Amino acid sequence: MRLMRTPKKVDISITNRCNLRCRYCYHFESAGDVEGDLPAAEWFRFFEELNRCAVTEVTLAGGEPFIREDLKEIVHGIVRNRMRFQILSNGTLITDEMASFLASSGRCNYVQVSIDGSMPESHDVMRGKGSFAKALQGLMILRRHRVHVAVRVTIHRKNVNDLESVARLLLEDIGLSSFGTNSAGAMGMCRKNAEMVQLTTEERTLAMETLLTLSKKYNGRIQATAGPLAEARGWLDMEEARLWGKQLAPVRGCLSGCGCYWQDLAVRADGAVTPCTMLSHIELGRINRDDLVEIWQNHADLGSLRGRNRIPLSSFSFCEGCEYLQYCTGNCPGLSYTLVGEVNHPSPDACLRKFLAEGGRLPERSLLC
Amino acid sequence: MKQKNPIANPLIVLREEFDDWAILFDPDTGNAFGLNPTGVFIWKHLDGKHDTDAIVGRLREEADDVPADAAEHARQFIASLEQQGLVGYEVQT
Ligand code: SF4
Ligand code: SF4
């Protein structure tokens, strides 16, 4: 793979504060959970560097970005520096005034709002009482102001049986064109609350089947890059490739599961530059102190991450004798680091052999749309 | 009224990714346009100080095998950039 001269996108944790404490939050109690937000002036200086680097977009995440009192100034800084932006939010702090401001900026790609249930019970159980109503209200305010909204449904033990109603609410009643799903990964707070939050093998099987069925019913309007739906699609492809000796793209049989550090960088709320929000423990430098291009092109840790895709899965005892070896990518290095303490290792959470050995079942291939 | 030399819209981002190829990114629309190395060369000279002939002249100085009809191609290229709002002209009244 060839390296671009500068990153295309930078994911910025603009604040470490949040008005909620979701039971599966990947941010709190992870390496990204750092004290103290940087003042806006620091971000303005950094945005100027991003402009010089021709970075075209930033993602504002947190914590909860809308908790920052100076969010509008920060958005002005992004606009001044010729970039577009998206905001990842829990949706509960969005006001009419803010939505109108975002629309008028002309640069907002979307605001991602988390809606995890079709009713308060299945959402609030993880995110806190009253958060469903507020998130839904935030979503409707954004839509009223014609700000593009991307809804994300995080699947967990308490909403896995509510998915059909969630799809009906979002796609039929509210009329979204699509929504995305993932599942509570074994990071941050989720590790502490794993018992309550993380799907069992049986529930994961159910979630895969339900989501494929719903995705077919709604003509592909349910999307995923991680979680049960993405796994169902990926694992069915692996199984088919194994049965029929097919080739899969991109490179398989090596740790090729993630390529975000070929395109993007991340910055923690304290200004530390990291390869990705899932790899917040790897500090590559500091904004406004270290040169971003130098980090991007020459930092040894980034170089070694980019070399992961040359490490064969056959070199891990974990994968010994696996029938899927030449069809597997080893998946997310961030999850692998959290689970086994190593970035250069396949992620056990995304291991098809382990899932099947624990009694998991793949859905029917005919459910794919 | 006399039209002056073409000027790149300062809002447009020139993003040089690999080798001498690049994209032009319009942050207001989110649209991106691919540029080949010659396009990049021309874009970098759309500074209001060069007219099309001068830009092609510079191109001939820097590159081999510039075709005879390069000036016409450059004019068309700049016109297409103008149509998309990526290039403008200072106007003298
Ligand atoms: S998941 Fe998001 S909304 Fe929930 S506590 Fe974490 S940062 Fe806040
Ligand atoms: S053991 Fe798991 S991670 Fe390793 S190749 Fe097999 S399916 Fe992939």
Side-chain angles (χ1 to χ4, degrees):
Chain A
M1 234 169 138
R2 295 170 67 211
L3 183 63
M4 296 188 284
R5 288 186 194 182
T6 56
K8 210 168 186 160
K9 172 166 79 75
V10 177
D11 297 332
I12 296 173
S13 182
I14 207 80
T15 177
N16 196 46
R17 290 176 290 149
C18 185
N19 57 322
L20 304 181
R21 275 298 178 279
C22 307
R23 290 181 195 270
Y24 47 71
C25 175
Y26 80 95
H27 173 80
F28 289 110
E29 304 208 9
S30 77
D33 181 5
V34 285
E35 277 302 307
D37 291 358
L38 293 183
E42 289 266 10
W43 293 114
F44 296 156
R45 258 181 81 195
F46 182 57
F47 294 157
E48 284 167 16
E49 184 175 22
L50 296 185
N51 187 356
R52 289 193 297 278
C53 292
V55 169
T56 57
E57 59 182 280
V58 291
T59 306
L60 302 181
E64 170 53 44
F66 287 103
I67 210 168
R68 270 199 82 127
E69 300 75 8
D70 53 4
L71 186 65
K72 284 187 191 169
E73 287 167 52
I74 286 173
V75 167
H76 280 307
I78 293 168
V79 170
R80 263 199 314 276
N81 286 287
R82 306 188 302 173
M83 294 181 284
R84 294 183 69 83
F85 64 95
Q86 43 272 342
I87 302 180
L88 311 187
S89 167
N90 61 36
T92 59
L93 300 177
I94 294 166
T95 60
D96 255 305
E97 195 211 350
M98 180 54 81
S100 149
F101 167 76
L102 292 177
S104 70
S105 78
R107 298 285 184 84
C108 181
N109 286 328
Y110 60 88
V111 176
Q112 180 185 291
V113 174
S114 298
I115 304 278
D116 294 347
S118 68
M119 53 192 161
E121 290 75 7
S122 48
H123 178 103
D124 291 358
V125 65
M126 297 294 174
R127 292 189 178 265
K129 201 167 169 8
S131 57
F132 176 74
K134 284 188 192 152
L136 215 52
Q137 187 187 25
L139 164 65
M140 299 317 270
I141 291 175
L142 289 167
R143 275 170 67 80
R144 206 161 50 237
H145 288 274
R146 299 189 187 285
V147 176
H148 185 65
V149 188
V151 166
R152 169 66 62 88
V153 179
T154 300
I155 298 159
H156 50 72
R157 299 197 67 185
K158 307 286 181 194
N159 68 2
V160 67
N161 290 304
D162 187 32
L163 297 177
E164 231 179 294
S165 307
V166 173
R168 196 178 317 116
L169 169 74
L170 296 175
L171 299 178
E172 295 183 31
D173 302 347
I174 297 179
L176 297 179
S177 57
S178 64
F179 70 89
T181 63
N182 68 357
S183 64
M187 304 188 81
M189 304 259 288
C190 183
R191 292 206 77 184
K192 209 163 86 180
N193 299 315
E195 245 334 68
M196 179 185 188
V197 170
Q198 277 197 287
L199 301 177
T200 62
T201 304
E202 193 53 38
E203 288 161 344
R204 209 168 173 183
T205 302
L206 171 70
M208 290 200 291
E209 197 171 292
T210 311
L211 287 170
L212 277 185
T213 308
L214 288 169
S215 182
K216 193 165 184 170
K217 174 179 171 188
Y218 290 104
N219 295 318
R221 290 163 66 201
I222 305 178
Q223 295 150 1
T225 53
L229 181 57
E231 278 162 359
R233 290 173 175 152
W235 285 348
L236 282 170
D237 283 349
M238 279 168 65
E239 182 64 344
E240 171 146 291
R242 183 187 72 85
L243 287 171
W244 304 103
K246 282 189 180 170
Q247 294 282 322
L248 291 177
V251 187
R252 300 289 168 132
C254 294
L255 289 179
S256 54
C258 181
C260 63
Y261 29 74
W262 288 92
Q263 303 223 15
D264 311 334
L265 276 179
V267 183
R268 288 192 326 220
D270 61 355
V273 180
T274 68
C276 153
T277 45
M278 306 287 271
L279 293 169
S280 288
H281 66 289
I282 304 179
E283 293 187 26
L284 304 169
R286 202 149 275 281
I287 63 164
N288 305 331
R289 185 194 73 190
D290 301 308
D291 183 67
L292 199 74
V293 175
E294 179 61 24
I295 290 176
W296 176 253
Q297 295 184 357
N298 298 319
H299 199 289
D301 289 347
L302 271 181
S304 81
L305 275 171
R306 291 177 187 139
R308 276 180 98 244
N309 61 4
R310 292 192 296 272
I311 302 174
L313 291 166
S314 57
S315 63
F316 299 98
S317 58
F318 180 81
C319 299
E320 204 178 312
C322 178
E323 295 180 285
Y324 298 103
L325 214 129
Q326 53 182 311
Y327 311 108
C328 185
T329 66
N331 221 274
C332 168
L335 264 181
S336 162
Y337 175 77
T338 323
L339 293 169
V340 298
E342 286 191 49
V343 168
N344 287 338
H345 195 279
S347 163
D349 187 54
C351 171
L352 173 54
R353 176 169 72 171
K354 183 168 172 283
F355 170 73
L356 295 174
E358 288 169 356
R361 293 179 315 281
L362 289 180
E364 291 293 322
R365 203 174 162 78
S366 60
L367 290 176
L368 287 175
C369 53
Chain B
M1 196 166 80
K2 187 172 158 245
Q3 198 168 8
K4 288 184 67 181
N5 299 329
I7 306 178
N9 179 343
L11 194 71
I12 304 299
V13 179
L14 174 71
R15 200 179 141 72
E16 296 176 272
E17 291 189 342
F18 305 109
D19 304 325
D20 296 324
W21 291 70
I23 59 161
L24 290 179
F25 175 72
D26 181 346
D28 278 341
T29 61
N31 292 337
F33 312 87
L35 287 189
N36 65 20
T38 308
V40 175
F41 184 92
I42 293 174
W43 178 263
K44 286 182 174 173
H45 287 80
L46 297 174
D47 52 7
K49 294 182 193 138
H50 300 81
D51 64 13
T52 311
D53 291 337
I55 294 171
V56 175
R58 292 293 305 274
L59 185 63
R60 286 191 202 285
E61 282 166 31
E62 306 236 349
D64 301 326
D65 303 328
V66 177
D69 57 357
E72 187 44 38
H73 282 302
R75 247 181 286 283
Q76 283 171 12
F77 173 65
I78 293 169
S80 76
L81 292 176
E82 189 192 350
Q83 263 173 18
Q84 294 170 89
L86 308 180
V87 159
Y89 293 87
E90 250 182 64
V91 174
Q92 263 185 344
T93 48

